[in-house]
Amino acid sequence: MSKPSGKQDTSSKKAPAGGPAGPFAQRHLLGIDALSKDDVKALFRRARYYADINRDRAGPSDILKGLTLINLFFENSTRTLASFDLAAKRLGMTSLTVPVAASSLRKEEDIRDMLLTLDAMQVDAMVVRHTQEKLPARAAKWVKACVINAGDGTNEHPTQALLDAYTVKARLGGIEGLTLAIVGDIRRSRVAGSNIRLFQKLGADVRLLGPENFLPDDPPDGTETFTDMKTGLKGADVIMMLRVQKERMETADIPDKSEYFKTWGLTEKKRGWSGKNSLILHPGPMNRGMEISDELADNPDCSAVLQQVENGVAMRMAILDLMLHQRKRENQ
Ligand code: CP
């Protein structure tokens, strides 16, 4: 299913039905599997509402006034950290980013003690990114705050997948029946981990494309794998390019930039192998001239990279709103 690309449809500004927060029963957001289709639909509706509000510069709301969010990023981030901070502030929350590198972890404080210490400050939500798989899930058992996984090792990055799927829906009208081609370093990608789960849940076909040593040893059920880009892209509606995660590779496994670009970097010519009007996504940060050409990265008609960033704030507002609204009511 391919539809003409273009700007996302943000014509409706009506608040979604179902009360201020709508139906959503998640205490934590740790991975995609725990979300029902109805949860995802509720998040999409609310994200659309906030996307419009953000464009109108409507100013902070007081919907979550009085609640506190703490950002705990044990790995680097630009997009996820900034968008959670903005999302919280636009909903009226107090948002604090803990300077992890300068924290008492340096004095050998145990991470559980660190989280319990912060939790004792009457915190409502913790956004956690860590190199260790499942660390946010463990944190959710330690603390009273709601925990949101902002990326755990090579496992999952659920809020990225939600904003990616929302962006595709906004651009192409829907997800069911689409073919998504995920290209590149899939084996080490938590973005791929969450997107495979979410796009399959929403009825898309998912293909995994990359060199043999970038593909998972045990591909998820229902996915097709390709080591030839031309075959794998045939008829694809969405092309999701992934970052080559050098920080997670042995030096010997890091590919030569120009060699990789020749085979796996997305160019106008290679995009021509996919479906007409295919949409390009990249979670960022991009390695231009390795994963994607400047020409495609900078063309908003076919690339949704900056739209993903914009929608990231709206989706994270939706997540905080739906997760924390009930908590606010309980506190009142
Ligand atoms: N996509 C993503 O997670 O980007 P950051 O590492 O900049 O947060």
Side-chain angles (χ1 to χ4, degrees):
M1 180 171 102
S2 280
K3 292 186 184 174
S5 62
K7 286 188 173 174
Q8 61 185 336
D9 175 7
T10 55
S11 55
S12 164
K13 290 188 187 174
K14 267 181 68 179
F24 192 80
Q26 303 295 327
R27 175 165 169 71
H28 305 288
L29 179 49
L30 302 170
I32 293 296
D33 286 343
L35 296 175
S36 68
K37 270 189 181 177
D38 282 345
D39 288 334
V40 177
K41 277 189 204 156
L43 286 169
F44 283 2
R45 279 198 301 272
R46 193 115 283 251
R48 180 168 170 176
Y49 172 67
Y50 283 124
D52 290 348
I53 300 266
N54 287 340
R55 285 204 166 190
D56 285 350
R57 307 281 195 278
S61 87
D62 61 1
I63 193 154
L64 295 179
K65 193 164 179 233
L67 301 194
T68 302
L69 175 133
I70 286 195
N71 281 307
L72 275 162
F73 281 64
F74 298 86
E75 275 189 356
N76 293 352
S77 171
T78 297
R79 280 146 279 266
T80 314
L81 174 56
S83 59
F84 266 114
D85 191 35
L86 282 176
K89 286 174 174 151
R90 288 179 186 177
L91 294 169
M93 298 179 76
T94 298
S95 172
L96 170 74
T97 297
V98 174
V100 167
S103 73
S104 290
L105 279 181
R106 283 278 175 100
K107 299 181 215 163
E108 300 185 2
E109 184 170 37
D110 179 84
I111 190 165
R112 181 170 174 274
D113 281 335
M114 179 189 190
L115 295 187
L116 289 174
T117 299
L118 294 168
D119 199 44
M121 297 178 191
Q122 301 301 331
V123 168
D124 298 287
M126 290 188 188
V127 179
V128 181
R129 171 172 288 188
H130 202 278
T131 48
Q132 267 180 42
E133 272 190 29
K134 308 276 184 188
L135 190 283
R138 287 166 60 209
K141 292 189 179 130
W142 300 332
V143 300
K144 293 191 291 298
C146 303
V147 176
I148 299 172
N149 179 1
D152 60 328
T154 60
N155 183 37
E156 282 221 47
H157 190 351
T159 67
Q160 178 71 43
L162 286 161
L163 75 89
D164 290 342
Y166 172 75
T167 302
V168 170
K169 184 175 180 326
R171 286 286 288 253
L172 302 184
I175 291 178
E176 190 163 2
L178 291 180
T179 297
L180 165 68
I182 306 180
V183 183
D185 186 12
I186 295 158
R187 182 185 288 230
R188 299 168 192 83
S189 174
R190 56 196 178 204
V191 173
S194 286
N195 268 304
I196 292 166
R197 291 175 169 92
L198 184 58
F199 276 79
Q200 285 189 331
K201 189 186 283 286
L202 299 177
D205 285 327
V206 180
R207 299 180 188 164
L208 310 178
L209 285 62
E212 199 84 60
N213 61 339
F214 278 16
L215 292 176
D217 286 332
D218 189 12
D221 285 349
T223 57
E224 276 186 282
T225 55
F226 297 84
T227 51
D228 170 60
M229 198 164 179
K230 190 169 186 177
T231 319
L233 285 184
K234 195 170 176 205
D237 303 290
V238 182
I239 309 172
M240 181 180 291
M241 301 306 297
L242 295 178
R243 185 170 69 84
V244 176
Q245 300 190 58
K246 295 177 194 163
E247 74 277 17
R248 299 191 205 281
M249 291 177 190
E250 303 291 329
T251 311
D253 292 332
I254 298 174
D256 175 77
K257 182 174 176 174
S258 60
E259 284 301 315
Y260 185 85
F261 184 66
K262 257 191 245 161
T263 315
W264 292 106
L266 192 63
T267 57
E268 193 62 61
K269 181 180 165 206
K270 289 179 193 151
R271 180 177 174 242
W273 298 334
S274 67
K276 198 165 175 285
N277 298 318
S278 58
L279 183 67
I280 301 164
L281 303 183
H282 193 305
M286 292 184 285
N287 290 310
R288 289 166 179 259
M290 185 165 193
E291 297 134 17
I292 189 165
S293 68
D294 283 331
E295 180 191 23
L296 287 181
D298 294 331
N299 181 352
D301 288 336
C302 60
S303 151
V305 173
L306 291 180
Q307 208 174 351
Q308 288 170 268
V309 176
E310 179 183 353
N311 289 337
V313 181
M315 177 52 74
R316 284 158 182 142
M317 289 173 82
I319 291 165
L320 293 175
D321 178 349
L322 296 191
M323 281 180 68
L324 295 176
H325 206 84
Q326 183 61 27
R327 188 177 174 98
K328 187 175 178 193
R329 273 203 286 249
E330 284 164 11
N331 287 349
Q332 280 167 349

